[in-house]
Structure formats: C-alpha cells, structure tokens
Amino acid sequence: SLQTAHLLVQIIHVGDSVTLAFLDSSGSYLYTREVVDSKAQGDDVNSDDVSVQQIWSSVPGESLYGGGYYVNSFVDFKGAPIHMVQLNLEVVIPCFLSSRGYGILWDGYGETWLNPPRKSNRINLEPTARSHEQNNVAVATGM
C-alpha cells in the first residue's frame, strides 16, 4: 500500500485481477479502480484497433460533476453514457469532481467514453425501394 497524510491506496491482488482501493485519512473508501490491461482487438498487436478500459467503483449516492459542456440534460455524470469527443457544440474538459471530495483527471488524447452505452447507438442509413423516385430518401434504423 501507499500512504500520504490524506490518502491511503491499497493494492488488492485476487488471482490475475488487481484492484486499487483509495481511502481517505479516516479510513473511509473514496472509490476503487480495477486495473485492466490494454489489448488489441483480436491477436494482432500491430492493429490500429486498440482499446483500453478502466473501471471505477463508487459508493451509492455519490455524484460526479464536471467533464465539460455537453448537449444533454445531465448535471451528475455518474452512470451517464458520455461520448467524450470534441464537437462543434460540445466541449470536453476531462476533469471530474466527486461529491465525496476527490477528482479524476482523464489525461488521454483519444476518443473516450465515460460509462459506455450497453447497446449500440449506431444509425444505419438504407435506401428505400423507391428512393430513386423520391430524391434519394433513406430510412434510418438502429438502437
């Protein structure tokens, strides 16, 4: 474990799994983080399709604020699927503050999801049978 005057980090090994537990100076859990290796999709380590996953666990009732400006109705981002990519109307500031007093800075340059959605939200455009008669009208399906 690692310890400062205000923070204790416990390293927990269970089989091949490693979890970091962060506690405040009174010994109360702030959050835990499961360590997950980065891996290429498939076995090709030279692939351009590489993903890294990090998992945090927090206590019930905790809120997570910050992250930038997004065109949605969320103020508390805990559990909300947020696509952290800079767009014309959305500004990514990858810094979050917990209602329990700690912060998370996501220092990465790639496309990122906070709480990735469980279902795909991809929209497929398919031409209709009569699209040539209707100025190339397409039908969107998905979700």
Side-chain angles (χ1 to χ4, degrees):
S1 63
L2 305 170
Q3 187 169 2
T4 69
H6 303 286
L7 182 70
L8 171 64
V9 180
Q10 293 178 336
I11 304 167
I12 304 163
H13 295 272
V14 178
D16 291 336
S17 175
V18 176
T19 300
L20 303 177
F22 295 81
L23 296 83
D24 65 15
S25 58
S26 68
S28 297
Y29 276 90
L30 294 172
Y31 69 96
T32 60
R33 177 181 170 269
E34 181 181 344
V35 178
V36 179
D37 291 333
S38 61
K39 56 186 170 186
Q41 300 295 327
D43 294 328
D44 184 6
V45 293
N46 296 317
S47 170
D48 289 337
D49 192 11
V50 175
S51 66
V52 175
Q53 179 180 8
Q54 295 195 18
I55 300 169
W56 286 272
S57 298
S58 59
V59 298
E62 179 180 17
S63 296
L64 194 61
Y65 303 107
Y69 175 78
Y70 299 94
V71 184
N72 60 37
S73 60
F74 298 115
V75 174
D76 180 359
F77 288 117
K78 182 180 175 185
I82 303 297
H83 192 197
M84 296 174 58
V85 62
Q86 193 79 19
L87 299 171
N88 193 24
L89 297 175
E90 297 187 333
V91 179
V92 177
I93 303 171
C95 184
F96 297 91
L97 179 64
S98 165
S99 59
R100 295 180 50 100
Y102 66 88
I104 298 172
L105 171 64
W106 183 261
D107 188 17
Y109 296 101
E111 178 180 2
T112 302
W113 276 97
L114 175 69
N115 306 311
R118 292 188 179 114
K119 293 174 63 176
S120 171
N121 59 358
R122 182 177 305 250
I123 296 175
N124 303 314
L125 295 177
E126 300 171 6
T128 63
R130 296 177 17 188
S131 63
H132 64 282
E133 298 172 9
Q134 300 176 0
N135 297 322
N136 295 323
V137 173
V139 176
T141 61
M143 307 296 269

